[in-house]
Amino acid sequence: LDGYQGWEDAVETARRLGAVLLVATQSNPAPLVGLGARLRVVPLAHEADRRRAHAAADVALVTRRAPGGLPIKLLDALSRGLPVVAPRRALAGLLARGVRVTADDDAGALARSAAELLRSPDARARLAEAGPAYVSEAHAPARFVRAFRTFLRGG
């Protein structure tokens, strides 16, 4: 639960929605206050833990306070077909399909977008379908190799 992640926005979103927030982490969950019984913290030590956490979720909230970095949590949720709500900064410049993008540093926008998805199984299904296709196309190893070769040639 590092400060750059903006997990406070996820907590605020869950609080506004009266929803259960599932946090899969190896970090100390002590900072996650204010949700009481609506907070579920599960261990995240193995791949099986990640699979269970994603399967148990209706929507992934991927937050980020600091720019840059590689959005592994975003790509992981998308590859598993989990619809994602994220501020623009959390995309780290990716044009990811399967994401409902909100303004940066706006917990209200994050909560409104999450609420809309939770109310609409059709919208969730459309995003869920788009995520794995995006990851397999945009992040395919062959595509990376082509781009890297182009880069090495100075193009």
Side-chain angles (χ1 to χ4, degrees), residues 12 23-24 37 49 52 54 69 105 111 114 119 124 127 131 134 152 154:
E12 177 60 18
V23 178
D49 297 333
R52 278 192 295 274
H54 284 103
D105 305 317
R119 284 191 305 266
R124 279 198 319 274
L127 285 181
Y134 162 74
L152 291 175

Side-chain angles (χ1 to χ4, degrees), residues 61-99:
L61 300 175
V62 178
T63 57
R64 187 140 180 119
R65 290 270 167 85
L70 186 62
I72 295 298
K73 291 173 184 68
L74 174 77
L75 293 171
D76 194 21
L78 291 173
S79 70
R80 296 173 196 273
L82 188 59
V84 174
V85 178
R88 183 158 308 285
R89 184 184 302 121
L91 275 63
L94 297 179
L95 302 174
R97 297 186 310 267
V99 181

Side-chain angles (χ1 to χ4, degrees), residues 104-136:
D104 291 333
D105 305 317
D106 187 344
L110 199 68
R112 285 187 300 278
S113 288
E116 289 168 9
L117 286 179
L118 291 171
R119 284 191 305 266
S120 175
D122 291 341
R124 279 198 319 274
R126 283 192 300 277
L127 285 181
E129 186 177 307
Y134 162 74
V135 171
S136 67

Side-chain angles (χ1 to χ4, degrees), residues 4-36:
Y4 74 87
Q5 292 174 324
W7 55 264
E8 301 90 346
D9 289 341
V11 169
E12 177 60 18
T13 294
R15 187 193 64 73
R16 288 180 186 208
L17 297 177
V20 172
L21 179 64
L22 172 67
V23 178
T25 185
Q26 288 182 345
S27 298
N28 177 358
L32 299 170
V33 296
L35 291 177

Side-chain angles (χ1 to χ4, degrees), residues 142-155:
R143 183 175 178 161
F144 170 79
V145 169
R146 284 192 306 273
F148 190 63
R149 286 181 177 150
T150 300
F151 169 76
L152 291 175
R153 287 192 297 267

